[in-house]
Amino acid sequence: MSGGTMRAAVLHGQGDLRVEPRPVPTPTGRQVLVEVSHCGVCGTDLHMVLDGWGQPGSVGGHEWSGQVSAVGPEARRRFAPGDRVVGGPAPGCGQCPPCRDDRIALCEARATPGTEGGDGAFADYVCVDEQALVPVPAGLDLRIAALAEPLAVALHAVTRAAPEPGQRALVCGAGPIGALAILALRARGVDPADIRVSEPNPTRRQLAASLGVAEVVTPDQLDVPSIAEPRRLVADRVDVALECSGRASAMYAACAQLGPGGRLVLVGSGIESPRLDPNRILLNELVVTGAFEYDAGGIGEALDLLASGTLGRDVDTIVEPDDVDLDGLLGALEGLVAGKIAGKVLVQP
């Protein structure tokens, strides 16, 4: 349905999000127009809207599912109207070393997230390159399929952490991405009895506990050695830590929970620069790295995992029971920041 008018949540400035009419995009070249079914709210959306990272005039939302409405004249017939799809990784340049290594999230031609241009799916329709679409398996509800993108992020974080059989893991921050990281660790073979979680919000601690992990603590319950104790190992040390909150204090604390040779993966984005203990990293040969977007084929793996049913009712636990419409998006963002909302919010335009 191109040529008409749709509704979109347009950013006008920090904390200023307005639902406005916009023309329905007309797909050109290899673009595909998709009618949005659901779009999840990500931590990045909080930064873009409430922290002022976003560009005025932009439309956010990158965790989406929907149905193909129209295809551009040069599309290679991979998709047809009515096909069910989710948004996947944006195409890379195909020429730089990361692209040649099938790590297009690290494409050297890509701009900083939020400044790349192109509108997201907090709207009735979204228009993307056909290479950025992944088909949804038969039988998987489009509402649940909208979790594929954040689940792929969580799976990639576990790939970067590379836990070995029998190793212990810590997840810092039990918001939506932290909760999905718990499921991703389990899916990759980490025993729930070997997973600890640190989370300050009581509602999110309750959510994490319901996922069957061994222990859920508050950040101040973690034993964090001082910078004068770089070789002291904590009693409850872990082999891998996934920092999902984006908070500098949590990054520092997570690093201190690692045993010799441990790996800290930074998953959550934040605006505070952490102070890490270089002597602890050096003396214990710790690895500190980041996880951005997905493994090659990660969206497909996430869709297959969601379709398999192996995650069971835990998916329902993570997703807020009531979806919001575009008019309720700003309130949901504010509720997430205030800690009043614990789970993944889905927007149904």
Side-chain angles (χ1 to χ4, degrees):
M1 204 284 284
S2 57
T5 301
M6 67 176 188
R7 299 174 82 229
V10 182
L11 182 65
H12 282 262
Q14 184 173 3
D16 186 358
L17 193 67
R18 307 175 195 172
V19 179
E20 300 176 343
R22 280 201 166 184
V24 175
T26 298
T28 61
R30 296 177 62 181
Q31 290 183 324
V32 174
L33 180 69
V34 179
E35 183 176 10
V36 179
S37 171
H38 290 81
C39 185
V41 177
C42 174
T44 302
D45 298 314
L46 306 182
H47 293 310
M48 295 297 171
V49 176
L50 300 181
D51 291 333
W53 291 13
Q55 299 293 313
S58 63
V59 176
H62 57 274
E63 301 177 356
W64 53 268
S65 63
Q67 282 191 300
V68 173
S69 179
V71 299
E74 299 173 16
R76 297 181 178 177
R77 301 182 185 276
R78 292 181 59 216
F79 299 98
D83 286 352
R84 302 174 338 126
V85 295
V86 297
C93 73
Q95 304 298 319
C96 68
C99 281
R100 292 199 298 270
D101 197 30
D102 216 10
R103 303 178 70 184
I104 61 174
L106 305 183
C107 173
E108 296 177 3
R110 289 182 63 175
T112 301
T115 65
E116 297 172 299
D119 286 337
F122 290 142
D124 293 325
Y125 292 87
V126 63
C127 195
V128 299
D129 189 289
E130 65 175 347
Q131 297 180 79
L133 294 177
V134 181
V136 174
L140 180 61
D141 189 279
L142 282 177
R143 181 173 186 268
I144 300 303
L147 292 176
E149 200 274 354
L151 180 57
V153 169
L155 288 166
H156 181 53
V158 177
T159 296
R160 301 290 291 158
E164 298 175 2
Q167 289 194 326
R168 303 183 71 222
L170 170 70
V171 176
C172 289
I177 198 67
L180 287 167
I182 294 170
L183 300 188
L185 284 164
R186 287 171 33 189
R188 293 281 181 83
V190 177
D191 191 323
D194 290 326
I195 302 175
R196 299 185 81 203
V197 176
S198 171
E199 167 58 49
N201 182 282
T203 306
R204 288 179 174 167
R205 285 200 300 274
Q206 186 176 21
L207 186 154
S210 71
L211 299 178
V213 299
E215 185 181 23
V216 183
V217 300
T218 59
D220 59 7
Q221 289 179 294
L222 295 175
D223 179 10
V224 181
S226 74
I227 199 167
E229 310 171 285
R231 280 287 288 173
R232 182 167 78 79
L233 301 176
V234 301
D236 288 322
R237 56 186 172 274
V238 297
D239 302 287
V240 301
L242 307 181
E243 206 302 294
C244 302
S245 73
R247 294 183 179 276
S249 59
M251 298 176 194
Y252 183 84
C255 193
Q257 306 309 302
L258 296 171
R263 296 172 298 282
L264 167 61
V265 181
L266 305 181
V267 189
S269 58
I271 59 175
E272 300 174 329
S273 296
R275 185 194 67 171
L276 298 178
D277 182 347
N279 292 328
R280 172 168 291 276
I281 294 171
L282 185 156
L283 294 174
N284 296 287
E285 294 195 348
L286 305 180
V287 175
V288 180
T289 186
F292 179 53
E293 293 193 345
Y294 338 110
D295 299 328
I299 296 286
E301 180 186 0
L303 284 168
D304 290 343
L305 185 57
L306 290 167
S308 71
T310 56
L311 301 180
R313 297 183 63 83
D314 290 335
V315 172
D316 297 326
T317 301
I318 289 175
V319 178
E320 287 292 310
D322 298 318
D323 300 338
V324 302
D325 59 16
L326 291 175
D327 294 307
L329 174 57
L330 182 58
L333 293 169
E334 293 169 339
L336 285 163
V337 168
K340 296 177 181 178
I341 300 174
K344 169 64 71 178
V345 174
L346 294 177
V347 177
Q348 188 174 21

